[in-house]
Amino acid sequence: MKITDLSRRNFMLAAAALTQSRRLSSGAAPGSPVQFGNELLTGTLVGTRNCLWSYRLRKSGREFRVGPPVFNLDGHRLAPTLTRIEQAGEPLRLNNGSTEYFYRGTFAAHPDLTLAMQFRLADDSPIIRFRYALESQGRHTLTKPQSVDDLVYLTISLSSLPQLREIRLSNFVELWHSYSAEEVSLTARDYEKGLEEMGPIMVGSDGLHTVLVAYEHGSQYPDAFLHFGLKSDRTLTLSSVKGNYFAGQVVDRDHPYETVWLEMGAVDTGEDELAAAFRRFVLMDMTQNLASRQPYICYNTWNFQERNKWWNGKPYLDSMNNDRVLSEIEVAHRMGIEVYVLDAGWYARTGDWDVSMERIPDGLKRVKARLDGYGMKIGLWFAPTSAAVSSKAYLENKDCVMSWHGEERKPSPSWETEESYPMCLVSRYSDVFEDRIIRLAKELGVTYFKWDGLEQYGCDSSHHDHGSAANSADERADSYAFQMVQRMSRMADRLAKECPETVVDFDVTERARAVGLSFLSSGRYFLINNGPYYHSYDVPIDRKNSSWNIFFYKGRARTWICRAPLGLDRWIPSNLLLTHYFPDDPLDSQEVNIASLVLGQNGIWGDLLSTSDVGIQYIGGTMARYKKVRQAIAESDPMVTGTVGGSPEIHEKISSRSRKGMIVNLDLATLAVKKASYVTRHSVKAPHWASDGVKIDIDATSHARLSFDFTKPGAKMLFFGID
């Protein structure tokens, strides 16, 4: 699979599209409106206090007016009226097929201030991605009345759209120890009472027209850094809550204030159609790091390391050696795995991230050669904020150690390697880490990076880039938490720019991780580790001597936990939610685990070397079929009948564009009657492949009627369009 598979729009009518984008941008005569757009919409820059720009649907003419950002500068609130808006260069064609437009406008009352406006838009999408920057030729400071953030990103009237829905993406559900999507309907009473909600997505609709507004940041719900405010006149306002800037933050020629990325979109239909458009935007148009969108099948060593520790009584790092790794690669190749990831323990010490010559004496040369021979990629685990006590990373950057409540934080154990100091990423240390991983990518050929241990709150130092002694410790801590998300994206973006085939997965398998839309512009989420802990279920356990993890054991039960958060797939494509399933025998377990994997989470871990030859062949054969349609599955909107763990639980992932994809039926109930039927919502494409016990009847409209006959609890799979 080529890296460019999901950026096909780069190669479709590129010249015509660029001509269209230039025609719609502001190259017109003086006095003409400043516009940009595509065949679906027109954006018009206005520049008044009530309307900075408008979004108009070209088909219906429905228009939505977006109010300008409001800054608190030098103790005064400034809502810009722009004297003139000028195009800053020609529209730029980006590598994902989108077009980028730059404009600048001068503040009428403050000629030394400029509002820079950046818009990104794909040719066939209704979603605009945009952000602003406050620029100054003089010197100003951002201020906080009563020590509270005072920044408005946008306002929009939804008075003509009676239905309003908040989409939450970061509600941590202890039941399955993972984040989930929740859609909450809001009422007229919520407007009247001035409700404030975190989002990060708001959708308004009247059933015939639907509009979406969203922002790119991340935190665990309800710990809001931004929120949407509802007003009685049915105006929706997106504002800062905390940490978006610190009091006294300078805005001058060298230090513009740049907002987070925002999104807006609309359709002349309902919520489902707009949700589908937004999902396609996240998959294809949101990022320039195209490798992060590829549905690679990944293996990670960590689950076996944990099993080895708790089942066999051996150290976590016992299996981190050439013999074990090379043997696993042989099995992984036969299973169809494409990315082999060495988790904690491949390094000598954190911070420097040199290969451990004690555990892997040849510095990964044989491992890399074996992977290259099979066309597989190598991945490594990192804790970006960790630096071992003897590392150069710590010794040369001691001033970058995190502090909390006025005290420098102490070193702590790091997975049976040397104790490590926690280092602040909102300091120059982020450059140190960036430089090191880029060197590893170039020297060792590493293309996959798993980032772990990134807690959102960690530093309140007055010596870094998130506030000074003039700010309170709480303000500095909030500023760190807000900026950390942006630093992570900056690091991943720089890595991808220098090494385009790299992918970064952000481990969000614990609470207090910065989950939202922000990091998805740069990489993906590593969604679930082993699942809940015993103590989450109030099960008595010896926390000192026993494993806390319920679900690092083999079997089918963990698949319920791993599939539960797939409600996120309505907004975030499942191939951006890496989750590992088990390859272990018996076949009953393998069927359910692999049927879950092909829904798009694409991960395998466990004891590869104990998997039978029959099991390896089954997994390899299924992966070969899956690879023929996985691009279609990645772009397919999810359709689910039943509930996770219910009977039946049917998932349809068929592309409306190509008619390729799959049906998965998971029936785990031990009932006497084990027959079920299903008719596909989308039309399908031949040829197809199906598990035993499935009958298929394709009608004249190319929809398939399916009959399932379960002789025992398990899973049935069907792949369509596997030519």
Side-chain angles (χ1 to χ4, degrees):
M1 175 174 54
K2 297 181 180 179
I3 292 298
T4 53
D5 285 349
L6 286 178
S7 59
R8 62 186 182 278
R9 282 173 287 198
N10 281 348
F11 310 101
M12 297 172 61
L13 304 176
L18 186 56
T19 300
Q20 169 74 353
S21 70
R22 286 176 174 167
R23 179 176 64 80
L24 288 172
S25 65
S26 63
S32 299
V34 180
Q35 295 183 330
F36 63 94
N38 58 21
E39 294 297 334
L40 300 176
L41 67 97
T42 299
T44 302
L45 277 69
V46 179
T48 67
R49 290 175 62 88
N50 296 320
C51 178
L52 178 64
W53 61 281
S54 68
Y55 179 115
R56 184 175 63 84
L57 287 161
R58 292 170 65 84
K59 182 178 180 181
S60 66
R62 192 68 177 268
E63 185 176 66
F64 301 94
R65 297 167 69 83
V66 181
V70 180
F71 304 94
N72 199 298
L73 206 63
D74 304 324
H76 303 284
R77 298 195 91 206
L78 298 180
T81 296
L82 303 180
T83 58
R84 59 182 181 276
I85 299 174
E86 297 177 341
Q87 181 177 330
E90 285 293 307
L92 176 65
R93 197 68 163 180
L94 304 176
N95 68 340
N96 66 355
S98 297
T99 301
E100 184 169 70
Y101 307 88
F102 285 100
Y103 304 96
R104 281 189 170 86
T106 303
F107 283 55
H110 301 273
D112 69 324
L113 294 176
T114 300
L115 186 68
M117 295 160 282
Q118 184 178 5
F119 299 89
R120 291 180 176 177
L121 178 63
D123 298 332
D124 57 355
S125 174
I127 308 298
I128 298 175
R129 186 172 187 242
F130 62 100
R131 66 178 173 182
Y132 309 126
L134 178 64
E135 302 173 338
S136 176
Q137 298 302 307
R139 189 181 190 279
H140 300 274
T141 58
L142 292 165
T143 43
K144 294 188 177 187
Q146 290 80 48
S147 300
V148 176
D149 277 22
D150 185 22
L151 170 60
V152 175
Y153 288 95
L154 60 81
T155 57
I156 181 172
S157 173
L158 301 181
S159 59
S160 62
L161 304 175
Q163 304 161 23
L164 182 63
R165 195 182 302 273
E166 177 197 11
I167 314 301
R168 304 170 182 170
L169 302 178
S170 61
N171 203 9
F172 191 87
V173 179
E174 194 65 42
L175 180 64
W176 53 76
H177 199 82
S178 186
Y179 295 90
S180 69
E182 291 193 9
E183 301 189 16
V184 180
S185 295
L186 302 173
T187 67
R189 185 181 297 276
D190 296 322
Y191 278 107
E192 293 168 5
K193 298 298 183 182
L195 193 69
E196 295 172 339
E197 291 292 354
M198 178 173 155
I201 303 171
M202 284 287 190
V203 178
S205 181
D206 61 3
L208 300 175
H209 309 91
T210 308
V211 65
L212 174 149
V213 181
Y215 65 87
E216 295 182 21
H217 196 254
S219 60
Q220 182 183 323
Y221 185 88
D223 184 24
F225 287 78
L226 295 83
H227 65 200
F228 293 96
L230 282 62
K231 297 185 179 180
S232 58
D233 63 355
R234 300 190 72 86
T235 296
L236 188 68
T237 301
L238 177 61
S239 305
S240 60
V241 176
K242 62 180 181 180
N244 289 225
Y245 63 96
F246 53 86
Q249 184 170 334
V250 171
V251 179
D252 61 17
R253 187 187 301 269
D254 299 320
H255 302 93
Y257 179 80
E258 197 169 74
T259 71
V260 298
W261 283 99
L262 310 167
E263 282 102 29
M264 183 173 173
V267 293
D268 287 320
T269 47
E271 294 180 26
D272 288 343
E273 290 79 7
L274 188 51
F278 188 80
R279 186 185 184 279
R280 288 193 298 274
F281 159 79
V282 174
L283 180 65
M284 296 182 176
D285 308 321
M286 188 183 207
T287 186
Q288 303 301 300
N289 305 344
L290 302 182
S292 70
R293 270 38 187 176
Q294 301 304 316
Y296 297 126
I297 301 168
C298 299
Y299 172 78
N300 183 291
T301 63
W302 182 247
N303 181 262
F304 178 75
Q305 291 177 255
E306 280 217 272
R307 291 191 194 185
N308 208 26
K309 168 77 171 178
W310 298 109
W311 285 4
N312 303 326
K314 296 182 179 181
Y316 284 115
L317 306 191
D318 177 76
S319 57
M320 191 59 63
N321 60 73
N322 266 340
D323 289 343
R324 174 80 195 191
V325 170
L326 290 169
S327 296
E328 285 188 347
I329 290 172
E330 293 296 324
V331 177
H333 168 62
R334 292 177 61 196
M335 288 182 174
I337 291 166
E338 297 158 300
V339 182
Y340 184 95
V341 182
L342 292 89
D343 209 275
W346 64 270
Y347 49 88
R349 59 189 58 82
T350 62
D352 293 344
W353 302 111
D354 295 315
V355 179
S356 170
M357 304 307 285
E358 175 186 354
R359 289 182 286 278
I360 309 174
D362 66 350
L364 288 173
K365 290 181 181 178
R366 290 173 63 196
V367 169
K368 185 63 167 60
R370 186 72 56 86
L371 291 171
D372 287 346
Y374 288 138
M376 298 169 67
K377 301 174 182 294
I378 186 170
L380 299 175
W381 175 94
F382 296 85
T385 58
S386 294
V389 295
S390 69
S391 67
K392 290 182 180 179
Y394 164 67
L395 295 173
E396 295 176 0
N397 301 281
K398 291 183 177 181
D399 59 311
C400 297
V401 174
M402 290 181 179
S403 69
W404 196 249
H405 296 163
E407 293 186 6
E408 183 179 281
R409 297 181 63 178
K410 306 302 181 184
S412 59
S414 180
W415 301 114
E416 298 173 353
T417 65
E418 189 177 312
E419 287 195 337
S420 299
Y421 279 96
M423 310 297 284
C424 177
L425 290 182
V426 188
S427 73
R428 60 183 178 81
Y429 188 76
S430 61
D431 296 325
V432 174
F433 181 72
E434 278 182 40
D435 292 342
R436 184 62 187 122
I437 60 174
I438 289 171
R439 186 152 59 92
L440 280 168
K442 293 180 177 179
E443 291 178 356
L444 294 181
V446 182
T447 58
Y448 174 95
F449 294 78
K450 177 189 173 185
W451 290 359
D452 197 0
L454 290 163
E455 302 293 339
Q456 189 151 24
Y457 292 94
C459 188
D460 62 8
S461 172
S462 61
H463 303 295
H464 301 157
D465 301 335
H466 48 97
S468 69
N471 306 106
S472 69
D474 286 346
E475 185 179 7
R476 295 193 299 265
D478 288 341
S479 180
Y480 171 84
F482 179 81
Q483 291 192 65
M484 189 196 77
V485 191
Q486 297 163 308
R487 289 293 176 105
M488 289 168 56
S489 282
R490 191 192 75 178
M491 293 189 300
D493 290 346
R494 183 183 161 204
L495 172 65
K497 185 175 182 180
E498 297 209 24
C499 307
E501 292 193 0
T502 54
V503 177
V504 177
D505 275 358
F506 170 26
D507 186 317
V508 296
T509 62
E510 299 293 344
R511 287 180 173 273
R513 303 291 165 99
V515 175
L517 293 173
S518 180
F519 192 74
L520 295 175
S521 68
S522 305
R524 312 184 306 185
Y525 288 143
F526 186 112
L527 187 63
I528 292 181
N529 199 325
N530 291 308
Y533 299 132
Y534 281 108
H535 51 77
S536 299
Y537 286 83
D538 302 320
V539 177
I541 183 173
D542 181 346
R543 295 197 184 195
K544 184 176 181 180
N545 298 309
S546 303
S547 169
W548 294 6
N549 290 309
I550 296 179
F551 291 112
F552 74 84
Y553 303 103
K554 58 187 178 181
R556 296 176 297 191
R558 183 173 170 277
T559 69
W560 311 332
I561 299 298
C562 293
R563 293 196 307 276
L566 279 175
L568 287 163
D569 191 24
R570 174 167 158 87
W571 303 95
I572 300 174
S574 56
N575 61 302
L576 306 185
L577 305 171
L578 178 67
T579 301
H580 294 78
Y581 290 90
F582 291 152
D584 305 272
D585 299 312
L587 182 61
D588 289 356
S589 175
Q590 290 164 341
E591 287 177 341
V592 174
N593 274 272
I594 300 306
S596 301
L597 178 153
V598 297
L599 294 175
Q601 292 166 300
N602 292 338
I604 291 178
W605 66 6
D607 189 353
L608 294 190
L609 302 190
S610 294
T611 306
S612 68
D613 192 64
V614 171
I616 294 170
Q617 291 181 32
Y618 168 75
I619 294 170
T622 306
M623 291 298 98
R625 287 184 283 270
Y626 169 60
K627 288 177 183 178
K628 294 181 179 181
V629 296
R630 61 178 166 182
Q631 294 286 1
I633 291 169
E635 70 181 43
S636 298
D637 300 313
M639 295 185 176
V640 183
T641 301
T643 58
V644 172
S647 178
E649 175 194 339
I650 301 176
H651 298 257
E652 176 173 329
K653 296 276 286 183
I654 297 174
S655 168
S656 59
R657 182 185 61 85
S658 67
R659 298 188 291 127
K660 296 182 178 182
M662 69 177 184
I663 302 290
V664 170
N665 187 347
L666 296 136
D667 193 327
L668 305 182
T670 55
L671 299 176
V673 178
K674 297 174 182 175
K675 296 181 182 293
S677 60
Y678 180 81
V679 177
T680 60
R681 305 318 193 245
H682 288 102
S683 58
V684 299
K685 182 178 181 179
H688 63 261
W689 175 92
S691 302
D692 292 340
V694 181
K695 295 181 180 179
I696 306 171
D697 178 22
I698 299 178
D699 64 20
T701 66
S702 296
H703 289 77
R705 178 183 174 85
L706 312 175
S707 298
F708 301 95
D709 188 0
F710 283 88
T711 59
K712 58 185 177 181
K716 305 292 185 184
M717 287 178 282
L718 300 92
F719 296 104
F720 294 99
I722 60 170
D723 53 318

